[in-house]
Amino acid sequence: MERVLIIGGGIVGLTTAHTLRRRGLDVLVLDAGPDRICPSRGNAGQIAPGHPPIPSPAVPPKALHMMLDRRSPLYIPPRPSLPLLRWLLAFRRACERSRYERNMEVLAHLSRISRDLFDELAEELSPAATLEATGLADIWRTEAGEMEAEAETEWMSRLGFATEYLDGSELRRRDPAWGPEVRGAVIHGDGMRIDPAILCDVMRARITSLGGLIRTGCMVETIRRCSGGWEAVMSGGEIVIAGRLVLTAGVWSESLARMMGISVAMQPAKGYHRMIRLAGAPTIAAVLREPKVGVTPMGSLLRVAGTLELSGFNHRLDPNRVKQLMAGAQAFLPGIRGAESGDLWCGLRPCTASGLPVIGRGLEGAWIATGHGMMGVTLAPGTAKLIADDMLGEPVPDWAEMLQPR
């Protein structure tokens, strides 16, 4: 049986390995690690079908603020970088309304497929995987926030996603944790919540039980074609050969992609989360509209997550960003003041300028799946299906052409 080599052990690599193994292919995953910095594991814990791309018509008027204010949800500290400049110019083009609406439709298609596949995964992996179809809330405190939410909700409803509007009083009746200044919410019925680190661990165990192989601590430095298909050269000099290859290494994919004939322009967007122990925590996972903060109940804890910081390849924790994260959440959840703080995390998400992931084939026998930004967990099963279908000669839908590497 011909082996498929998957470089990258985040959620996209794991779901791809699981899908291919279920469809009869031999798989080997090379995971560089360490788990601590893997963005899939530090995800907010929300599966959000229909979530719009980051570049939108609302962003350009705030651009100067984003570059100067460390408290901005999307913070771009000025630095001399030609790749960053090119990325920002492409990002600005993606904010045009026609491109934004087109990209939102593509993401809606992909996330709908993923959501259906998550139901299947929940049945296969539960209860260990903690996949819960509880819905997600989009919550606001201001009139401007409400207007933004209404515009997005109109699009999501048009694209077939279930939504329900609640005013602040009704939201607090259902869930008393929300503060008195909250004006309203939209409940997205298709949303799910998870503990993403647990999901990754359960996926690893399932792949292994199906006969797939996963190796950790494997840093791949070079990939190249060979007589047997493809070979990956690791940092210690070991060479692994496989008939086919899938690159799913997140923000670290860019240099390896060039070796398989693909140009992918991404920026590492640093995200944060903090775990807190909060008495009377909310019962539904939510996105807080104005500060762009996600809050997700996880067992006895609450994960507060968010921010995108384009400061290059580093894992420095900026205390100002953490303060911004917690202050944004506290405005909605007054009980956070004085709550016991726990684990603090940051990781680098792979963000393309368009807000669309890159999914498709490069040179013969090689595929790529990267650039999912904050949506890696949400879009992983659909991404895996596109790769598997193409690899096995099945038709790929027309809308997926927008995701192909250029």
Side-chain angles (χ1 to χ4, degrees):
M1 184 188 302
E2 187 178 56
R3 170 169 286 178
V4 180
L5 179 63
I6 298 168
I7 301 175
I11 192 62
V12 173
L14 292 174
T15 51
T16 300
H18 176 262
T19 301
L20 292 174
R21 188 72 196 110
R22 288 291 303 270
R23 294 171 72 167
L25 296 177
D26 184 23
V27 296
L28 169 60
V29 179
L30 299 181
D31 180 11
D35 283 351
R36 172 67 188 171
I37 64 172
C38 175
S40 296
R41 301 175 74 88
N43 179 277
Q46 300 179 5
I47 295 167
H51 193 285
I54 296 169
S56 75
V59 172
K62 306 173 186 176
L64 182 60
H65 169 74
M66 291 175 182
M67 297 190 72
L68 299 177
D69 188 352
R70 286 180 177 271
R71 297 168 299 177
S72 168
L74 174 55
Y75 175 47
I76 312 171
R79 56 188 171 94
S81 170
L82 186 57
L84 175 61
L85 176 60
R86 291 171 176 158
W87 188 94
L88 289 172
L89 291 172
F91 183 92
R92 176 62 183 86
R93 291 192 295 273
C95 291
E96 296 170 5
R97 179 158 296 278
S98 60
R99 297 185 185 218
Y100 166 76
E101 292 179 352
R102 178 196 62 194
N103 292 346
M104 192 166 178
E105 288 188 10
V106 173
L107 289 176
H109 283 299
L110 183 56
S111 63
R112 185 178 294 110
I113 292 172
S114 282
R115 179 61 181 83
D116 291 342
L117 291 171
F118 267 120
D119 281 337
E120 296 179 15
L121 274 176
E123 187 172 333
E124 179 180 351
L125 304 176
S126 283
T130 74
L131 285 158
E132 299 180 84
T134 54
L136 299 176
D138 183 354
I139 303 178
W140 57 85
R141 296 174 63 242
T142 65
E143 184 177 353
E146 182 174 11
M147 291 176 64
E148 278 188 13
E150 285 179 346
E152 285 185 12
T153 300
E154 180 182 351
W155 258 97
M156 291 179 70
S157 298
R158 193 183 309 171
L159 293 168
F161 296 100
T163 60
E164 177 190 9
Y165 176 87
L166 303 178
D167 64 22
S169 297
E170 176 60 17
L171 177 65
R172 281 183 288 274
R173 189 189 68 78
R174 296 189 188 185
D175 196 340
W178 301 103
E181 295 184 10
V182 170
R183 295 170 58 123
V186 170
I187 307 299
H188 298 282
D190 297 298
M192 304 179 80
R193 76 180 187 202
I194 57 165
D195 182 322
I198 290 177
L199 177 63
C200 288
D201 290 341
V202 171
M203 289 290 293
R204 283 176 174 176
R206 182 58 177 155
I207 292 164
T208 302
S209 73
L210 291 171
L213 296 177
I214 299 174
R215 292 181 55 185
T216 58
C218 298
M219 178 66 72
V220 175
E221 293 187 341
T222 304
I223 56 175
R224 57 196 179 212
R225 298 180 72 178
C226 64
S227 59
W230 285 86
E231 61 183 23
V233 184
M234 289 187 273
S235 55
E238 180 185 355
I239 297 176
V240 178
I241 297 176
R244 286 176 277 193
L245 177 145
V246 185
L247 178 59
T248 63
V251 74
W252 311 103
S253 299
E254 194 167 349
S255 61
L256 293 175
R258 286 194 291 270
M259 301 175 194
M260 52 190 282
I262 295 173
S263 176
V264 181
M266 294 185 294
Q267 284 292 311
K270 189 186 299 178
Y272 292 78
H273 83 228
R274 165 142 262 167
M275 304 301 292
I276 62 173
R277 191 175 300 278
L278 178 63
T283 58
I284 189 171
V287 174
L288 313 181
R289 167 62 54 172
E290 288 84 0
K292 304 295 189 290
V293 171
V295 293
T296 308
M298 292 187 183
S300 62
L301 300 176
L302 184 72
R303 176 165 292 182
V304 182
T307 85
L308 285 174
E309 175 189 322
L310 274 66
S311 58
F313 284 89
N314 67 80
H315 285 85
R316 292 189 298 269
L317 281 162
D318 184 340
N320 291 305
R321 303 296 286 158
V322 180
K323 289 178 183 177
Q324 173 263 328
L325 188 70
M326 300 308 295
Q330 185 178 305
F332 290 75
L333 294 165
I336 284 179
R337 185 188 299 273
E340 179 186 347
S341 295
D343 180 59
L344 177 60
W345 173 93
C346 74
L348 302 178
R349 304 180 180 108
C351 286
T352 64
S354 68
L356 295 179
V358 178
I359 306 168
R361 65 171 78 191
L363 296 176
E364 183 180 353
W367 286 259
I368 188 170
T370 190
H372 294 75
M374 298 185 296
M375 298 289 285
V377 175
T378 294
L379 301 175
T383 297
K385 177 174 168 51
L386 290 180
I387 294 291
D389 285 350
D390 193 34
M391 189 177 293
L392 295 172
E394 298 181 15
V396 174
D398 291 343
W399 55 263
E401 176 63 29
M402 290 290 300
L403 306 174
Q404 292 288 324
R406 304 298 180 204

